[in-house]
Amino acid sequence: MVKTAMIGFGGIAQSHKNAHLQFEAEGREKLVAVCDIDPEQVKRRIKINLEDAPEVCGGHFNVYTDYEEMLRSEDVDLVDICVPSFLHAKIATEMLERGYNVLSEKPMALNSADCETMLAAYEKAKKNGKYLMIGQCLHFYPEYEYLKACIGDGRFGKVTSAVFQRLSGIPMWSWQNWYWDYEKAGGVITDMQIHDLDMARWLFGEPEWVECRASSKYTKFDNSHVTLGYDFPVTCLGDWTLRGVKFNMSFRFGFEKASVILDGGKLTVYPADGSAAYEPDYRHPHTGIAGEVGYLLDLIENGGENVKNTPVSAYNTIRLVEAIRESAENGGRRVVPTFVDEN
């Protein structure tokens, strides 16, 4: 059984926690501890008193406010990192160097140089059978896996167009308001739109060029329109300026023989021959972050190679993000990104 500890217990960490507890219920994992620097946040999230930390939360896991103390006190196989983006690279690299398996939230880092430092630590850890996975969780969402299958087997012919859209209210919920600091979050491009940019790479390969027009209403680059250079139109829209709007992700894919649309959480196929639209059979029990965690648990338990969501792929996504930010800084000028070989 894999023993897991979490560093960071804010918003996205709750989805990670739920995934870990799901696999704990299945007898595959034990969430032994969580840590967050802000005791008030932990109180809000799990409603316990931390005066005598660590304490047992609901019989499930111990709670700490110092991850050094947590790691000294607990027997841990996997460290799940859900801290603010500007801390991902530092903590993930440290955990790899200390001999842990690591799951780290996206983005891998805020720049490619920090990614390279993390990858160097991973190459050493890998020799001892350790794994690193970055939380590009759309690889495990069934809607996007369905798209991957459609492209792979050609059931609807070739892709003719693709539009990704990701919308949110203003991110005012972060610890010390770090989302509003471009140097700590990277704007909507690096924090939110990165999911769709990563998906474009996963589905279509590397784009030849990028163009980005971005605006700054409340924070730097909080609205972004990206065009990616493929043989057909591919657009990614990201906006977190929409006060009062609940988070929404959607896509519209045109194929030669059908359109495939995700809207309002529902996936629908619209055949080009005019026959009735339908919802395909695409769901499975472990989706999104749970699918990501389950895949990593399989690797830790059984060995093998991570072929679905590799650290080098996450690094190349950051290289793409850097090219897009360069385009945005220059009023939408076309930029040619560079990538490293993933083989």
Side-chain angles (χ1 to χ4, degrees):
M1 180 182 293
V2 176
K3 296 178 287 295
T4 300
M6 296 179 62
I7 301 177
F9 206 61
I12 193 62
Q14 305 314 301
S15 295
H16 285 243
K17 176 203 69 177
N18 292 340
H20 293 307
L21 294 181
Q22 179 179 350
F23 288 108
E24 182 173 314
E26 296 176 11
R28 297 181 54 195
E29 179 184 18
K30 174 63 179 175
L31 180 58
V32 297
V34 303
C35 174
D36 195 284
I37 196 172
D38 179 4
E40 292 303 316
Q41 171 159 259
V42 180
K43 289 179 186 179
R44 290 193 300 272
R45 299 291 182 185
I46 56 180
K47 297 183 175 65
I48 68 168
N49 189 326
L50 280 181
E51 291 178 0
D52 299 315
E55 294 185 9
V56 175
C57 173
H60 284 299
F61 47 80
N62 294 329
V63 180
Y64 298 82
T65 55
D66 180 347
Y67 73 75
E68 291 289 355
E69 180 187 0
M70 178 179 72
L71 296 175
R72 284 195 304 269
S73 304
E74 304 287 350
D75 182 17
V76 174
D77 303 307
L78 168 64
V79 176
D80 185 353
I81 299 168
C82 297
V83 297
S85 298
F86 65 97
L87 298 172
H88 289 175
K90 174 183 179 296
I91 296 178
T93 299
E94 179 186 349
M95 294 301 109
L96 289 166
E97 291 174 343
R98 292 168 67 165
Y100 296 104
N101 296 287
V102 172
L103 171 61
S104 184
E105 252 301 332
K106 62 79 198 161
M108 185 175 187
L110 294 180
N111 58 72
S112 56
D114 285 346
C115 292
E116 290 160 8
T117 300
M118 193 190 303
L119 286 173
Y122 170 57
E123 286 302 313
K124 294 179 181 178
K126 187 165 62 172
K127 295 177 182 178
N128 295 316
K130 303 304 179 183
Y131 291 93
L132 166 65
M133 182 176 286
I134 305 302
Q136 298 290 172
C137 59
L138 293 194
H139 293 245
F140 303 92
Y141 270 81
E143 298 88 346
Y144 296 86
E145 291 175 309
Y146 180 78
L147 284 177
K148 183 79 167 175
C150 291
I151 294 169
D153 63 23
R155 69 189 71 174
F156 300 132
K158 295 180 180 179
V159 178
T160 58
S161 65
V163 177
F164 299 89
Q165 183 168 273
R166 199 162 286 263
L167 309 176
S168 171
I170 305 167
M172 302 177 68
W173 52 83
S174 58
W175 175 68
Q176 296 185 349
N177 227 16
W178 67 269
Y179 274 127
W180 286 61
D181 187 336
Y182 185 77
E183 299 303 316
K184 293 181 177 180
V188 74
I189 300 168
T190 310
D191 181 80
M192 196 167 74
Q193 205 170 20
I194 190 172
H195 280 298
D196 295 326
L197 301 171
D198 183 68
M199 274 298 95
R201 293 187 51 254
W202 191 51
L203 295 171
F204 309 135
E206 311 298 12
E208 294 183 1
W209 49 264
V210 300
E211 295 174 349
C212 176
R213 297 297 301 273
S215 60
S216 304
K217 184 175 182 179
Y218 300 109
T219 63
K220 184 174 180 178
F221 297 160
D222 51 14
N223 183 299
S224 166
H225 291 214
V226 175
T227 303
L228 300 175
Y230 293 103
D231 292 336
F232 45 87
V234 178
T235 304
C236 300
L237 309 177
D239 190 349
W240 68 15
T241 69
L242 305 171
R243 189 178 296 274
V245 172
K246 292 183 178 180
F247 172 76
N248 174 268
M249 64 181 186
S250 61
F251 59 69
R252 303 190 303 277
F253 270 57
F255 291 84
E256 291 174 313
K257 300 177 183 178
S259 297
V260 180
I261 297 177
L262 175 67
D263 185 44
K266 182 179 180 181
L267 186 66
T268 306
V269 175
Y270 297 87
D273 63 8
S275 56
Y278 62 92
E279 182 178 6
D281 181 14
Y282 68 97
R283 302 181 188 275
H284 52 73
H286 293 150
T287 66
I289 290 173
E292 176 181 79
V293 170
Y295 185 79
L296 181 54
L297 291 177
D298 284 338
L299 293 172
I300 295 171
E301 292 171 327
N302 304 314
E305 184 179 359
N306 174 7
V307 297
K308 191 169 183 179
N309 185 21
T310 70
V312 178
S313 176
Y315 167 49
N316 272 332
T317 295
I318 293 299
R319 293 176 72 96
L320 176 59
V321 164
E322 288 179 322
I324 289 168
R325 292 196 309 231
E326 179 183 343
S327 176
E329 293 279 5
N330 290 278
R333 177 174 60 84
R334 181 169 292 188
V335 174
V336 176
T338 60
F339 303 97
V340 300
D341 187 356
E342 296 185 18
N343 298 319

